[in-house]
Amino acid sequence: MERNKSVEEFISKKSEWKDALEKLRSIMLSTELVETVKWGIPAYTVNGKNVVGIGAFKSYVGIWFYNGVFLKDTEKKMINAQEGKTKGLRQWRFNSVHEIDENLVLQYVKEAIQNQKEGKEIKPEKSKPIDIPVELANALEENSDLKKSFEELTPFKQKEYIEYIAMAKREATRLSRLEKSVPMILEGIGLNDKYR
């Protein structure tokens, strides 16, 4: 498999966990998975779908199985890092390179690949449509440029503005928030783009 230079850079910056990350990476590269970087960490895909990710933190190095909920997990290695929030993702953590059993990891990875090929995955839930606040609806109706700019925003960015304005309890606050939002919408800027 072709080695991804971005993954090499990621691993080189994690000096404390370099050996463990290299070991996990070599396991992934021994399979049909395609190596890439997503959300700043090494990720491994099959048919363009995320299967596994690897990463390092202060106290451990780990593997993320994007749809790990479907793994048999006969050895009880999987943990749900955010119980009640995370539906499909499962982690396997290692506190040292010596804890990494290559054959067992490979067994889990191969099962995850097969699960992905069989289409076993958690689909994101569709969020309920949010009512556009009256103040925003009126502004969009009165200003065709604003309406056009708003419609060109991604659904996610539209939702951010809708929620930001709708969450204000007082009409004066909603109008103030609308006033702050209009120039950003006209420029095609998302409400929280500066934080991304």
Side-chain angles (χ1 to χ4, degrees):
M1 175 193 285
E2 191 175 311
R3 296 169 78 82
N4 185 303
K5 294 214 182 311
S6 297
V7 173
E8 290 173 7
E9 289 171 24
F10 173 87
I11 291 173
S12 72
K13 292 176 184 170
K14 306 285 184 186
S15 56
E16 183 182 342
W17 293 108
K18 190 172 192 258
D19 292 343
L21 287 168
E22 283 292 356
K23 191 170 188 176
L24 292 173
R25 183 186 194 202
S26 71
I27 295 167
M28 304 309 153
L29 293 174
S30 74
T31 70
E32 64 191 273
L33 291 170
V34 175
E35 184 175 65
T36 186
V37 173
K38 294 190 177 184
W39 308 287
I41 67 162
Y44 298 85
T45 65
V46 67
N47 300 326
K49 298 282 193 169
N50 297 334
V51 177
V52 180
I54 61 174
F57 294 88
K58 283 183 182 175
S59 60
Y60 68 91
V61 66
I63 305 173
W64 286 258
F65 291 88
Y66 289 97
N67 284 290
V69 69
F70 297 110
L71 292 170
K72 291 181 189 104
D73 193 20
T74 53
E75 302 296 319
K76 304 291 180 232
K77 301 294 185 180
M78 299 292 105
I79 59 170
N80 184 341
Q82 293 184 303
E83 207 62 55
K85 271 183 134 182
T86 305
K87 298 208 182 339
L89 188 77
R90 294 296 181 268
Q91 295 180 13
W92 184 353
R93 296 177 179 177
F94 306 95
N95 297 308
S96 79
V97 69
H98 307 295
E99 289 183 12
I100 301 171
D101 177 338
E102 290 182 52
N103 292 327
L104 189 58
V105 170
L106 187 59
Q107 179 185 320
Y108 273 69
V109 170
K110 285 182 175 179
E111 183 186 349
I113 292 168
Q114 189 57 40
N115 286 345
Q116 184 59 56
K117 286 180 174 180
E118 291 172 8
K120 294 180 182 177
E121 60 183 276
I122 301 279
K123 303 278 189 213
E125 292 177 8
K126 297 246 186 216
S127 56
K128 298 173 200 155
I130 301 167
D131 292 331
I132 296 179
V134 174
E135 296 80 4
L136 178 58
N138 289 342
L140 294 174
E141 201 167 301
E142 292 167 9
N143 184 336
S144 60
D145 290 340
L146 181 65
K147 184 175 183 177
K148 183 177 185 292
S149 295
F150 187 78
E151 289 171 351
E152 288 174 355
L153 292 173
T154 63
F156 178 79
K157 290 179 181 183
Q158 290 177 5
K159 183 179 174 189
E160 283 183 324
Y161 282 114
I162 291 169
E163 287 178 343
Y164 173 65
I165 295 165
M167 284 174 34
K169 290 179 176 59
R170 294 178 33 229
E171 182 184 6
T173 307
R174 288 192 300 274
L175 288 170
S176 169
R177 289 181 178 187
L178 174 63
E179 196 176 313
K180 289 177 189 170
S181 300
V182 167
M184 293 176 12
I185 294 170
L186 287 169
E187 289 183 42
I189 299 169
L191 181 66
N192 296 308
D193 281 3
K194 66 181 175 186
Y195 302 112
R196 291 190 181 98

